[in-house]
C-alpha cells in the first residue's frame, strides 16, 4: 500500500464551495479571485509582446528587468534596498514560493508555528517537509497573542509563519505587534520568520506594515508577495520571495529543481506593466468595492467585522442562525444563492464562531446582486 504524506488532506474548501455554487447557480463570493476584466493596458502589452522572442526560459531567479522593477518597487514603498542577484526570486505564485521556503528550512522533526485562522497551504507544506505544524490561535479580535506564541516555541521550533494583511479576516498588524514579535525573536535566534504579504497593496484605513521595513527582522525573514493578488491576475501565478542572501541561497537550491524558471511571457508583461500601474489606485478600487458591499448589507441581519486589508469581508451570522458555520454556509448556497467560506476551516480544531468570509473582488453588479439576496436571509 502506498503511504500518503498527506493522509488527512481532502478537496479544499474553496473547491467544495465553488462546486456547490455551480451546482445551484449561486453567486460565488467564496473563492478569492476577481471576476472583473484585467486592466486594458495590461492586455495591450500582452498582445504586443506575444509576437516577440520571449518564449524561452528566463534565468532561474527571474527576468532581470522584472527583478530590477521589483527592487525599485520595494525601495519606493518600504525604503529597503535589495540586491537583485542575491536577495530576490520570482516564483510560480506566492503559494509555490511559500512551499519552497518551508521545504528549504523545515527538516524532519522541526516545528513551524502557524497562527489560526490560517491559509490552508501552510500546514501541508510543513507536513511534506517532514515537520510538525504547531497551530496557535489568534486573539478574538484576530491580533496575535504573543504569550501563546512564546509558550509554543521549543528547541525544535525553526519557523514562525505570519500573514499580513490577513486572510481570512482582513486584519492588519500594528506597530506594537511587530515590536512584540521582534522582542520574541531576539530571544530565539534559531527561529526564522516567513511573512506572507500577498495582499500588501490592498490596505485601507490602517497602512500595511511590511517586514521589509523592520531592520531587526530582515536578516531572518523570508517575505512572500504576489502579482496575482496585486494586479488581479491570479491565473498568471507569478509571485516573488525576498530574503537575505544567506537564506535565499538555500531557497534557490530547492527552487531550481522544483520550478527552475517561471512563465516567461507573464514576467515580460508584468515587467513592462510595472512602469505604468499605480498600486495606490488598486487599493482605492478595492476600498470602493468594500464600501459598496458593506453599505448594501446595512439592512441585513449579518454583523460586519472591520476589513482593514485584503479583499475579504468577515460577517457574523449569530443574529440569523445557531447552526454551525459549515452547515449555514451550505444552506446559504442551496437556499439563498450565495457562496461564502466558513471560517472554522481555517482552524486546526475547527473553532466555530459563526463567521463567514465573503470575497468582494467582484464586479459591482455581482456584489449588489449578492447583497440583495443576503439582506433577505432571516
Amino acid at each position: 500500500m502506498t503511504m500518503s504524506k498527506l493522509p488527512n488532506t481532502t478537496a479544499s474548501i474553496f473547491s467544495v464551495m465553488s462546486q456547490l455554487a455551480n451546482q445551484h447557480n449561486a453567486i460565488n463570493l467564496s473563492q478569492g479571485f476577481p471576476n472583473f476584466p484585467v486592466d486594458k493596458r495590461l492586455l495591450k502589452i500582452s498582445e504586443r509582446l506575444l509576437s516577440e522572442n520571449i518564449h524561452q526560459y528566463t534565468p532561474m531567479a527571474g527576468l532581470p528587468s522584472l527583478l530590477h522593477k521589483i527592487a525599485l518597487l520595494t525601495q519606493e514603498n518600504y525604503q529597503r534596498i535589495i540586491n537583485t542577484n542575491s536577495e530576490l526570486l520570482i516564483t510560480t505564485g506566492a503559494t509555490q514560493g511559500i512551499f519552497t521556503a518551508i521545504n528549504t528550512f523545515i527538516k524532519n522533526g522541526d516545528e513551524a508555528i502557524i497562527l489560526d485562522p490560517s491559509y490552508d497551504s501552510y500546514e501541508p507544506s510543513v507536513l511534506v517537509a517532514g515537520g510538525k505544524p504547531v497551530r496557535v490561535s489568534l486573539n478574538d479580535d484576530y491580533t496575535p497573542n504573543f504569550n501563546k506564541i512564546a509558550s509554543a516555541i521549543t528547541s525544535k521550533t525553526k519557523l514562525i509563519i505570519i500573514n499580513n494583511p490577513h486572510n481570512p479576516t482582513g486584519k492588519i498588524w500594528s506597530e506594537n505587534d511587530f515590536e512584540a514579535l521582534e522582542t520574541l525573536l531576539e530571544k530565539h535566534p534559531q527561529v526564522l520568520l516567513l511573512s506572507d504579504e500577498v495582499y500588501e497593496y490592498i490596505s485601507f484605513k490602517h497602512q500595511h506594515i511590511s517586514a521589509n521595513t523592520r531592520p531587526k527582522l530582515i536578516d531572518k525573514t523570508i517575505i512572500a508577495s504576489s502579482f496575482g493578488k496585486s494586479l488581479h491576475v491570479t491565473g498568471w501565478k507569478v509571485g516573488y520571495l525576498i530574503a537575505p542572501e544567506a537564506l535565499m541561497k538555500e531557497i534557490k537550491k530547492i527552487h531550481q529543481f522544483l520550478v527552475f524558471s517561471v512563465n516567461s511571457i507573464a514576467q515580460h508583461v508584468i515587467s513592462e506593466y510595472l512602469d505604468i500601474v499605480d498600486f495606490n489606485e488598486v487599493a482605492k478600487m478595492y476600498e470602493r468595492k468594500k464600501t459598496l458591499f458593506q453599505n448594501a448589507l446595512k439592512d441585513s441581519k449579518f454583523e460586519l467585522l472591520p476589513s482593514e486589508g485584503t479583499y475579504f469581508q468577515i460577517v457574523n451570522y449569530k443574529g440569523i442562525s445557531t447552526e454551525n458555520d459549515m452547515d449555514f454556509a451550505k444552506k446559504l448556497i442551496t437556499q439563498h444563492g450565495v457562496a461564502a467560506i466558513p471560517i472554522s476551516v481555517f482552524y486546526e480544531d475547527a473553532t466555530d464562531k459563526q463567521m463567514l468570509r465573503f470575497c468582494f473582488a467582484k464586479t459591482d453588479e455581482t456584489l449588489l446582486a449578492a447583497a440583495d439576496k443576503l439582506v433577505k436571509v432571516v
Side-chain angles (χ1 to χ4, degrees):
M1 181 181 292
T2 302
M3 297 298 291
S4 173
K5 284 192 171 184
L6 299 172
N8 299 317
T9 298
T10 57
S12 76
I13 186 64
F14 309 105
S15 298
V16 170
M17 288 303 176
S18 290
Q19 183 177 0
L20 196 60
N22 290 334
Q23 290 174 357
H24 293 271
N25 198 29
I27 299 172
N28 192 353
L29 302 189
S30 61
Q31 202 160 357
F33 62 83
N35 74 334
F36 47 83
V38 301
D39 190 340
K40 291 181 179 179
R41 298 173 298 174
L42 185 67
L43 294 179
K44 287 183 178 179
I45 295 171
S46 303
E47 292 168 357
R48 174 168 50 80
L49 291 183
L50 269 175
S51 61
E52 297 188 9
N53 185 24
I54 60 169
H55 300 278
Q56 309 309 323
Y57 295 128
T58 60
M60 185 269 288
L63 183 70
S65 64
L66 180 56
L67 296 174
H68 175 68
K69 301 287 179 63
I70 293 171
L72 292 177
L73 192 67
T74 305
Q75 183 175 359
E76 177 184 350
N77 287 283
Y78 304 128
Q79 293 72 56
R80 178 181 179 181
I81 297 175
I82 55 176
N83 186 320
T84 56
N85 294 320
S86 60
E87 298 179 317
L88 187 57
L89 176 67
I90 306 298
T91 60
T92 307
T95 300
Q96 179 257 311
I98 290 167
F99 179 91
T100 303
I102 290 172
N103 277 266
T104 300
F105 299 110
I106 293 294
K107 302 176 179 63
N108 282 331
D110 288 344
E111 295 176 355
I113 292 177
I114 299 171
L115 307 182
D116 281 353
S118 58
Y119 184 60
D120 66 349
S121 81
Y122 303 152
E123 179 170 293
S125 300
V126 174
L127 292 171
V128 168
K132 177 185 176 183
V134 178
R135 309 282 286 267
V136 177
S137 291
L138 297 167
N139 291 318
D140 288 342
D141 62 355
Y142 301 118
T143 55
N145 186 319
F146 285 99
N147 290 328
K148 287 184 179 180
I149 296 171
S151 297
I153 295 177
T154 72
S155 60
K156 295 182 179 180
T157 305
K158 295 298 186 291
L159 189 66
I160 294 177
I161 304 172
I162 68 172
N163 177 203
N164 174 48
H166 186 245
N167 175 18
T169 70
K171 191 71 176 177
I172 287 180
W173 278 39
S174 69
E175 181 78 17
N176 289 338
D177 294 331
F178 274 100
E179 289 175 353
L181 179 63
E182 289 162 356
T183 299
L184 179 64
L185 291 182
E186 283 176 358
K187 299 175 182 177
H188 300 279
Q190 87 281 7
V191 179
L192 298 176
L193 177 67
L194 175 54
S195 183
D196 177 354
E197 303 187 17
V198 298
Y199 296 100
E200 61 190 315
Y201 295 113
I202 308 175
S203 61
F204 309 125
K205 182 178 179 181
H206 302 288
Q207 186 65 36
H208 162 67
I209 299 174
S210 172
N212 280 300
T213 66
R214 313 301 298 189
K216 292 181 180 179
L217 296 178
I218 281 176
D219 288 343
K220 58 171 58 186
T221 300
I222 307 106
I223 299 167
S225 294
S226 168
F227 284 122
K229 300 296 190 298
S230 298
L231 303 178
H232 32 274
V233 286
T234 57
W236 287 26
K237 296 299 291 181
V238 179
Y240 58 93
L241 297 179
I242 297 175
E245 182 175 0
L247 301 183
M248 185 59 77
K249 181 180 179 181
E250 298 303 313
I251 292 170
K252 286 180 177 179
K253 290 179 183 179
I254 306 295
H255 176 84
Q256 68 177 333
F257 297 113
L258 183 64
V259 174
F260 185 70
S261 64
V262 175
N263 183 287
S264 63
I265 299 170
Q267 288 193 68
H268 279 275
V269 173
I270 291 172
S271 175
E272 188 167 324
Y273 184 59
L274 287 179
D275 290 333
I276 59 175
V277 69
D278 183 349
F279 286 104
N280 290 322
E281 291 302 315
V282 173
K284 289 178 182 177
M285 180 267 291
Y286 279 120
E287 184 164 27
R288 186 187 63 77
K289 288 185 176 296
K290 180 191 74 165
T291 301
L292 176 75
F293 188 52
Q294 289 179 338
N295 287 340
L297 289 178
K298 278 184 177 178
D299 293 330
S300 76
K301 297 294 184 181
F302 292 97
E303 177 191 350
L304 278 63
L305 277 68
S307 175
E308 299 172 351
T310 75
Y311 42 55
F312 300 119
Q313 174 65 59
I314 298 294
V315 304
N316 187 305
Y317 63 85
K318 288 181 180 178
I320 301 173
S321 173
T322 59
E323 293 173 278
N324 67 62
D325 63 359
M326 182 66 75
D327 288 344
F328 185 78
K330 290 179 178 178
K331 180 183 286 186
L332 201 63
I333 294 173
T334 59
Q335 296 186 14
H336 302 283
V338 181
I341 297 293
I343 300 299
S344 65
V345 301
F346 296 96
Y347 286 90
E348 179 185 34
D349 62 0
T351 298
D352 185 358
K353 298 182 180 180
Q354 295 184 289
M355 303 279 196
L356 301 177
R357 189 198 78 174
F358 292 111
C359 174
F360 56 80
K362 309 295 177 183
T363 63
D364 292 359
E365 293 77 13
T366 300
L367 294 174
L368 292 174
D372 183 61
K373 292 176 178 291
L374 293 171
V375 167
K376 298 172 183 175
V377 179
V378 294

